[in-house]
Amino acid sequence: MQIPFSSKLVALSGVGKKTCEVLASAGFNTIGDLLWGLPYRYIDRGSIQTIATVNNQFLQSIDESIVVTLQGQITDFRQSTSRIQRMPLTEVLLQDDTDQIRLIWFNQSYLSKSMKKGDTLLVWGTLCIGRGGIEMRSPSWERITSKEETESSSIETTSMARFLPIYRRIATLSGKTRQKLIDMALRQIQSPPAILPLELSKYLPDATTALRLLHRPPDDSDPRDLDARQTPAHQRLATEELFAFALGIELRRKGIQNQQCQKILTSVELRNKLKSFLPFSLTTAQRTAFREIVQDLTSGSTMHRMLQGDVGSGKTLVAFLSMAMVAETGGQAALLVPTEVLAKQHFASFTKLLGGDSHRMQLLVGAMKTAEKRQAIERIANGQANYIIGTHSLFQESVSFFDLRLVVVDEQHRFGVKQREAIKDKGNAPHWLVMSATPIPRSLALALFGDLDQSILNELPPGRKPVRTCLYHTDSAESGWNIVEQELNKGHQVFVVSPAIDSSESLDHKRISLRDINNMEAYLRARFPDVPLAIVHGRLKTDELSIRMTEFLEGRARILLATTVIEVGVDVPNASAMVVDHAERFGLSQLHQLRGRIGRGKAGGTFIMISDRETERLQALTQTSDGFRIAQRDLEIRGPGEFFGARQSGLPRFQVADLFRDRQLLVKCRQVAAHEINKGLTPDQEAWLKQEQTRLRLAEIS
Ligand code: ADP
Ligand code: MG
């Protein structure tokens, strides 16, 4: 019997309820889910070495960076607690035909559930010298056979294949059971109808064949291609994912094209009014971007635009002017921001810009008192407020607008598509302007947000002093702190950023200790005993966070010690230096964003990174201040998932495709998708698209 991809896993003969539950807990519900769960790497059995060989080699070179792969049997398994750190230890003796070696894992007590004496284990990792000689610390591992299987010694044909696929572990499910399920699924699966147009599928295997090739690579596969995920089978699956994604964007673009709305009429009065608000003349880039926006607002169809610009390029002013276009012609414009601190800051700067007209503005944030909130909601509903600034609170059901015509989103972490729809529904096809806090390389922006028109601010306002950037090793960090001291003596303020570290991380397996925010606090209090300090981190309640931020904004605190919460655009002109400890824990773009927080005033600024690792990567920041170039570099190094951040809900969950590496392919998929949609999708394509959109979580993407 043949079964389709969409069938539930129980449909596989021989799969019990219990196994299904384990799989479901990891998000595997259908046969398709199981088959799309590809190995993350392959072990070439030809690369397995004997323990005697690697021991000898290590004794000669003492190179702690070479990764070796070993296979052997567990002859001893014990768990204890380390005496000094009180940390759970798992120790294993692994033996092959030639010798034995000690394996150690820290803090992984659950290992006793996954392996025991007698099991055959495949391990890979680096070597080092420990208490009892050469050992492997926290190696990756895969159980090949359990004790029982080893004893019954039935030779498995599958385990004789050259490439052993390694999967992300699902609870206690063994690699072998997983293999069996996959084999069964591959045997019973019904080949899906062809959905890729020929332009995209030429020279590539069909989907089922591709899946078969990746779960069971033939012995003559090229190990490098497999590891680089660049076999024709990988390309086939990547193309499927990108085509589904491209169809989604294309359909959305069609849906929003030519949406009619009320035209905004320009006039001399309006122009003069806007001019009267301006505290300084616009940069050329701001002028161009604003002209593009005005064209949209006066066109009679709804604007869908993204405003991109490097940190400090003056996006807020462009947003304000766009809002004024609407607000000064009788409509309402809302600015949506991710945090209350930022909302208040925008409110303060808008108050300055509006001068005598600031009563037409309304703030709405979660921390407001009930009476205050009620009044705010009333002023939004009856149209007394034209300029509205708020956080997620604006989405609440109780909020309705008098005449909402423009929504501007200052998207630090972008708002989800549902929230976006929620606020759109509160107006009549309101114009839509998204500001991107991180510059995104153009090709990627087009591929990802191709349903939005793009305006780019590629120039900083005049009079900005460039920020000096330095990188110090921990041993020489004192030079950095001396700079901080000088700045404090001049009356300036200083940011200090500590990475958020959870306690289990404070000692990792390589025993490199990380300074957390508490250690940094102790250091700062000792080093600068008379300087008032405010501390903010992610675990604070919002009002407490607000209070402490305000202390710093108003200058009562002169050092702000923070985890990355300050990344979100606070503007403190008097802050002239920033220290980032453990800079290696941040992405380049993130660091660039942080750097943008200083040098906003007349004093210029110094950006100080302290790090003992990855100094080559970090050096890039000392060489350029161009956010687009930094983003490009960051994407190359970390890939889009990390680049956009873990919190980011806005990325599809591709198994194979990589938005950065495959951006050319995505561009092609977009073209083909547009063409296919114009022709009309086939019922097979429609059904497939629906299934893929669920799998890739495309519906959640903004
Ligand atoms: P970002 O693009 O990072 O959001 P902001 O909008 O916060 O940048 O602007 C950064 C700073 O530059 C602000 O202090 C703002 O007042 C100032 N600024 C913006 N536009 C101009 C301009 N045309 N001339 C001078 N200063 C400007
Ligand atoms: Mg900003």
Side-chain angles (χ1 to χ4, degrees), residues 99-388:
D99 204 348
Q100 59 178 24
I101 189 166
R102 205 165 81 108
L103 317 174
I104 300 181
W105 288 271
F106 303 92
N107 253 334
Q108 303 200 10
S109 343
Y110 65 87
L111 283 175
S112 62
K113 291 208 189 73
S114 314
M115 57 174 81
K116 59 181 177 306
K117 195 171 158 182
D119 290 356
T120 304
L121 223 53
L122 184 73
V123 294
W124 60 100
T126 55
L127 303 176
C128 62
I129 303 278
R131 248 190 308 130
I134 300 178
E135 61 189 31
M136 239 177 168
R137 288 191 191 159
S138 307
S140 303
W141 61 275
E142 179 78 14
R143 193 178 65 185
I144 303 294
T145 46
S146 66
K147 183 164 188 256
E148 297 73 26
E149 289 161 337
T150 312
E151 277 165 359
S152 67
S153 78
S154 61
I155 295 172
E156 277 287 323
T157 44
T158 53
S159 59
M160 301 312 280
R162 176 175 168 198
F163 294 100
L164 177 73
I166 307 290
Y167 298 89
R168 302 231 171 272
R169 212 160 270 123
I170 301 178
T172 51
L173 197 72
S174 75
K176 200 157 161 215
T177 312
R178 175 98 169 247
Q179 280 291 346
K180 263 195 217 145
L181 291 176
I182 288 169
D183 283 340
M184 241 168 351
L186 285 172
R187 265 199 305 275
Q188 297 173 41
I189 194 74
Q190 184 178 59
S191 275
I195 39 79
L196 283 192
L198 195 62
E199 299 117 282
L200 292 176
S201 63
K202 232 187 315 182
Y203 311 125
L204 297 178
D206 66 64
T208 322
T209 309
L211 288 169
R212 189 167 287 127
L213 286 169
L214 294 183
H215 287 292
R216 290 257 160 279
D219 288 354
D220 60 359
S221 312
D222 185 326
R224 278 162 309 185
D225 283 355
L226 274 177
D227 270 345
R229 310 188 128 225
Q230 281 188 335
T231 63
H234 282 111
Q235 282 163 26
R236 163 74 198 207
L237 298 184
T239 310
E240 292 221 350
E241 292 186 317
L242 291 174
F243 185 56
F245 180 52
L247 282 173
I249 302 180
E250 224 30 73
L251 287 169
R252 208 164 60 216
R253 195 175 69 90
K254 270 199 112 66
I256 61 180
Q257 244 172 14
N258 304 321
Q259 246 172 21
Q260 296 306 305
C261 68
Q262 208 177 326
K263 251 188 204 168
I264 289 174
L265 299 175
T266 48
S267 64
V268 179
E269 289 92 62
L270 179 62
R271 221 167 294 148
N272 288 339
K273 185 84 199 177
L274 295 192
K275 265 201 196 130
S276 76
F277 290 144
L278 279 184
F280 19 62
S281 51
L282 296 179
T283 64
T284 311
Q286 282 173 322
R287 197 168 312 210
T288 308
F290 185 53
R291 195 181 312 125
E292 288 163 348
I293 292 168
V294 171
Q295 256 160 25
D296 290 351
L297 296 178
T298 54
S299 72
S301 36
T302 308
M303 167 169 77
H304 296 273
R305 186 169 286 280
M306 177 178 251
L307 177 61
Q308 279 207 59
D310 208 343
V311 54
S313 59
K315 293 184 284 290
T316 318
L317 192 58
V318 177
F320 169 78
L321 286 175
S322 314
M323 290 172 74
M325 279 285 287
V326 171
E328 297 304 325
T329 51
Q332 285 177 310
L335 174 62
L336 199 57
V337 297
T339 67
E340 302 209 3
V341 173
L342 202 54
K344 286 186 183 149
Q345 183 156 333
H346 280 315
F347 188 78
S349 53
F350 276 35
T351 306
K352 272 195 216 132
L353 289 165
L354 281 169
D357 289 328
S358 56
H359 59 277
R360 308 213 350 245
M361 204 168 34
Q362 183 59 54
L363 183 71
L364 184 68
V365 295
M368 283 161 75
K369 296 205 182 69
T370 320
E372 237 182 335
K373 211 179 269 177
R374 194 176 323 116
Q375 205 201 359
I377 290 176
E378 209 174 286
R379 279 169 45 83
I380 295 171
N382 67 18
Q384 276 175 14
N386 301 85
Y387 296 84
I388 295 139

